Amino acid sequence: MNPGSCTDISVGNGGSGVDVGVTTEQVVGGSDAPASGSGDAGDSGWSGDAPGTVELPAVWRYDPITGKPIYARMRAPRGTTPAAPAPATLPTVIQSSDVANVAPKPGSLTTEPNGWAIMNTPMNAYVTATNHTATSTINSIPVTVTFTPESYEWTWGDGTVTTTEVPGDSWANLGQPNWSETATSHSYSERGTITLSVRIKYSATVSANGKTIPVTGLVTGPATSSAILVVRSDAALVANNCIDAPHDPGC
């Protein structure tokens, strides 16, 4: 019989092979049972403590006809209580995959000019991201995850992907003229509408019960996207820009 648990309820009726009383015991198999039952408390179907290498006192169940052992039941000594399970603890090393169910906040993406660019001319982009926290559980323990932006992956929409250590900033804040190159600028060589997206990669720490553990590896946040209309620039006077008048000369 496979290990398991059972509740043995019986009345002592002598020679029937059933136990007396109500007990909850673990059913175990074993090859170290004696050859036949010796009888116990007037019940020829049960022996006394079984010999062999069982960890707790046990009694063997015997077939009342053949006298052969069927299975044993282990009995915890009276007055004992099961040991309490060990309390859950945080792992000493936490991988980025352990906090994959906690999504950091996306950044706020801005482009200059807003929503359009001129072919073969730098377009500037920058993203705003800050430290922030989120809550989760690890090993059933409530934790606080703190995210810190570390790097920025730019997918420019024309097959180019770059990574920067800075989020970028506006031309004005950088003290640079419009259309100049920045650490987070890009030039397009073809007209059309493309989608620019940026993903922020965060370092993280996990805090719980007065302990703070750094997360191994970076956690990548969700993408923030913006549609960009790339136009050709010719020397022409127009009343509007190419966003408002896309069919004007040069657009």
Side-chain angles (χ1 to χ4, degrees), residues 152-166:
Y152 308 84
E153 183 182 87
W154 304 86
T155 302
W156 296 100
D158 61 353
T160 305
V161 178
T162 60
T163 299
T164 64
E165 302 301 317
V166 295

Side-chain angles (χ1 to χ4, degrees), residues 9 22 59 87 104-105 132 140-141 159 178 186 189 192 194 210 212 218:
I9 305 176
V22 179
V59 291
K105 295 179 181 178
H132 61 279
S140 300
I141 300 174
N178 292 354
H186 185 70
S189 60
I194 56 90
T212 298
L218 297 178

